Amino acid sequence: MAETKSFEYAPAPESRAIVDLRSTYGLFIGGEFVEGTGKSFKTISPATEEVLAEVSEASEADVDRAVAAARRAHTRTWSKMSGAERGKYLFRIARIMAERSRELAVLESLDNGKPIKESRDVDVPTAAAHFFYYAGWADKLDHAGLGPSPQPLGVAGQVIPWNFPLLMLAWKIAPALACGNTVVLKPAETTPLTALLFAEICQQADLPPGVVNIITGAGGTGQALVEHPDVDKVAFTGSTGVGKAIARAVAGSRKKVTLELGGKAANIVFDDAPVDQAVEGIVNGIFFNQGHVCCAGSRLLVQENVSDEVIERLKRRLSTLRVGDPLDKNTDVGAINSAAQLARITELSKAGEDEGATRWSPPCELPSSGFWFAPTVFTGVSNTHRIAREEIFGPVLSVLTFRTPDEAIAKANNTPYGLSAGVWSEKGSRILWAADRLRAGVVWANTFNRFDPTSPFGGYKESGYGREGGRHGLEAYLKTGDAR
Ligand code: TAP
């Protein structure tokens, strides 16, 4: 057999000179950056542990100021403006995001640890696309199928996680503004920087003061925001545990709530699937964004008669992944977002070994500073294992097998979650049959982790309720029917 030769990639680092990092950041309230009255905290690069900036931790008094600014802007300006005018602001924001896309992408990779090719090609363009999409809806709300003249809810309190900081911000802010609401948004503690750059973009777009307010902080700030009595709408993306606490906290109030929570998606490969294509889909499903993806295909269900071949080709493919510097354009897998998340991934992976599953990782050298975890595959996993039931939120794949289509569906649905699923098969009829039976908000067929602003996204069961994206995403921000 001819000897195969592999070539080393020369480093191809993206320059960070485009980012103008300030050493300290205040809160963005009423159209201006103001000092917080609370403490401050440091945000670091998870790839190097370098301190990037010192950020304010919004106190209850700051949350109150931000909600008051949003209320004023709603009453005096934003709710009175025509949809067409609101749309112009959203189009302007979308265009500026596109113009400043490199700056946003570099900052996102610095603060989050994700590979620059993902922030550049997925996060930032998809975030701008959400603003373009909802800008188009702003003057067409009467035609959204939600009744005549649907009205905004008022002030939205929005809390987002660290895995797609800018994209989650866009999912929250774009539909809220298009529908005539004003917002107070809290980014995650470990990734506040792109939200603060977005605040500058709002200034650049001349958005009326108070329409968007960004308050940084930790869980306590988020709690103060969702519990604030003058917030009309709560939109939360994060873990199921915090989502449940929020649901309890707002129960009995007039607040409308959407919760986008965790997942443990099944990616089902039938024996007639095109194997190489499926392998690419499996890799994209779980190793994209270091597996920090709520809808990640973290459970591979592969038909038993093709499982050896699929696993072998998967391992070969994983051996070619490049793990390392997020700002290197060749990097496929970046840093884990925080020490806490690394500890959780490490603990659950150890549980996988302790429970008897077989662990495998490709040979790869991990950087000596920062937070890193090698891509990992567990075979011999059964549905009762913790690694098959709990969300790991890291680059760890659990492989289960099945013999019949019915068994695949039963195993796929045997989870407290229901956010997404994937089906790989050459037969359209089998895909439709499976999609009908999978209890998941999104079912991808012969692809995985595709996001589009026109398409609704959301969960079943403990993955939350409400939909974001598409026409459905408007409903969460409008008074419709009896609620008017
Ligand atoms: P969480 O710990 O739930 O944090 C999410 C956000 O809530 C953060 O901004 C957090 O602040 C804040 N928060 C924490 N405690 C709070 C409280 N009691 N009241 C209000 N806000 C509070 O989740 P995470 O670890 O950041 O993110 C990972 C989880 O998000 C995963 O389970 C993942 O599946 C889920 N996720 C779901 C989706 C969708 S669309 N379903 C998308 C992305 C992620 P701090 O960061 O300061 O703690």
Side-chain angles (χ1 to χ4, degrees), residues 159-163 168 171 186-189 217-219 222-223 226 236-239 242 246 260-263 294 391 393 419 457:
V159 179
I160 56 172
W162 44 262
N163 57 343
M168 290 298 109
W171 281 25
K186 189 200 91 69
E189 185 181 3
Q223 189 175 352
V226 300
F236 172 77
T237 296
S239 59
V242 174
I246 291 177
E260 300 281 2
L261 309 176
C294 50
E391 189 181 40
F393 222 58
L419 196 54
F457 185 93

Side-chain angles (χ1 to χ4, degrees), residues 177-250:
L177 263 47
C179 293
N181 304 277
T182 55
V183 306
V184 180
L185 177 132
K186 189 200 91 69
E189 185 181 3
T190 57
T191 53
L193 295 182
T194 45
L196 293 165
L197 181 52
F198 179 81
E200 282 180 30
I201 289 175
C202 292
Q203 286 180 321
Q204 193 183 340
D206 259 336
L207 190 71
V211 172
V212 167
N213 304 275
I214 307 285
I215 51 167
T216 45
T221 304
Q223 189 175 352
L225 176 59
V226 300
E227 291 181 5
H228 194 287
D230 204 29
V231 162
D232 302 296
K233 154 83 190 175
V234 171
F236 172 77
T237 296
S239 59
T240 294
V242 174
K244 284 181 182 175
I246 291 177
R248 279 192 294 271
V250 301

